[in-house]
Amino acid sequence: MSRSRLACGVVSKMFNKSPLTANLTVAGRCLPASAVSTMKIQTPMIASRSFATKGDSEIVKFLAEEIATERSNQKSMPNLAGWTSKLDGAEVTLSRAGACAGENVVVTLNVNHTVDSAEPDDGQGEAPEMLSRPNFEVDIVKSSGKTLSFTCSYLHPDEQGEEGNEDVFAIDEVTMFDGDKTGDHNYAVAGDILDGYLYDLFMSMLEERGVDNNFADKLADWCTAHEHGQYINLLQEIEKFAKM
């Protein structure tokens, strides 16, 4: 058998099932052995994961572990009985029926920049649990649209229990308006200059509408879970961005 035919037979066996065979024959004739010996065989290119920068690659590597860790520590959202929630990213609106017909109670808040230690950190042992305790606004809305609005904030753990104060939150500001609250033209009074008795009456007014210490404690747990979910979502979006 000639070297040319032998080479043709070898090539035929090598590429019998490959689309490259079409490049080895011309009008049914096998290539000569000399052509086969010098022929360069191309293999398919396999796409590799590429990043815009080395830093992007390191971010993706870190986030893969960070997201997994955060997910393992994620807690379910506690139930706020009697309240209806509406979420828009970090912004939260809670609502429920008020104390009389046609009255509604609306709580609005934002969980951005709200995470802090649940207890004072004495620097010994494990770090205290982190909680989201945002400022929140409570609007008592009458059917006419007239609204009595309270801006409230959580007391720092060091402040709770001082001088017999058992409140979890405080009233920072009180105002009243018709319809939607817009601008700063509506007069508002600071809670710390209110008559003490009137302040207590306002706290009772909120308590009678479901906004009390028990609600505030549950709200902190609820906001903590929601803020953590938003944090995980942000990490996931950054991971996607770094892969672009």
Side-chain angles (χ1 to χ4, degrees):
M1 179 181 296
S2 67
R3 292 169 59 95
S4 177
R5 291 180 178 273
L6 178 59
C8 181
V10 172
V11 171
S12 177
K13 292 180 180 179
M14 290 174 59
F15 300 98
N16 185 41
K17 297 182 179 180
S18 170
L20 294 175
T21 305
N23 297 326
L24 302 175
T25 60
V26 179
R29 292 180 295 153
C30 292
L31 293 173
S34 59
V36 174
S37 63
T38 60
M39 180 179 59
K40 293 182 178 180
I41 302 174
Q42 295 183 346
T43 56
M45 296 295 293
I46 300 176
S48 60
R49 174 72 264 179
S50 61
F51 299 92
T53 68
K54 181 181 177 181
D56 290 359
S57 175
E58 292 175 350
I59 286 177
V60 170
K61 181 179 179 181
F62 170 81
L63 288 179
E65 298 180 1
E66 182 72 3
I67 292 171
T69 300
E70 293 296 334
R71 280 178 172 171
S72 66
N73 295 327
Q74 191 172 14
K75 297 180 180 179
S76 59
M77 301 273 285
N79 181 36
L80 292 176
W83 293 88
T84 300
S85 62
K86 180 181 178 181
L87 308 179
D88 184 11
E91 294 186 349
V92 176
T93 302
L94 304 172
S95 59
R96 65 176 297 168
C100 61
E103 181 182 280
N104 288 306
V105 180
V106 181
V107 175
T108 55
L109 57 91
N110 189 302
V111 297
N112 285 338
H113 316 298
T114 61
V115 177
D116 199 359
S117 299
E119 300 291 341
D121 189 358
D122 57 8
Q124 300 179 358
E126 295 184 1
E129 181 186 8
M130 305 297 286
L131 286 177
S132 170
R133 293 184 291 192
N135 294 349
F136 57 94
E137 188 169 296
V138 184
D139 291 343
I140 302 175
V141 187
K142 296 295 184 178
S143 58
S144 63
K146 197 76 172 180
T147 301
L148 180 59
S149 181
F150 301 88
T151 300
C152 304
S153 63
Y154 283 90
L155 294 175
H156 191 273
D158 291 334
E159 299 175 307
Q160 296 179 20
E162 291 183 352
E163 300 179 358
N165 183 14
E166 298 180 355
D167 292 331
V168 175
F169 67 97
I171 297 174
D172 297 329
E173 184 180 275
V174 182
T175 188
M176 180 172 282
F177 54 88
D178 287 308
D180 295 331
K181 182 180 180 180
T182 57
D184 296 324
H185 61 278
N186 293 303
Y187 174 75
V189 60
D192 56 2
I193 66 171
L194 285 171
D195 177 86
Y197 183 61
L198 178 58
Y199 180 94
D200 289 341
L201 290 175
F202 280 149
M203 290 294 286
S204 296
M205 178 183 283
L206 292 176
E207 181 179 1
E208 291 168 344
R209 288 162 173 81
V211 182
D212 54 10
N213 285 343
N214 184 51
F215 167 79
D217 284 333
K218 291 182 178 179
L219 180 64
D221 292 337
W222 191 93
C223 288
T224 300
H226 178 57
E227 191 278 338
H228 192 207
Q230 291 294 299
Y231 175 64
I232 294 174
N233 182 66
L234 176 62
L235 296 183
Q236 292 173 328
E237 292 301 314
I238 294 174
E239 181 184 37
K240 293 176 183 177
F241 182 85
K243 288 180 178 180
M244 290 182 177

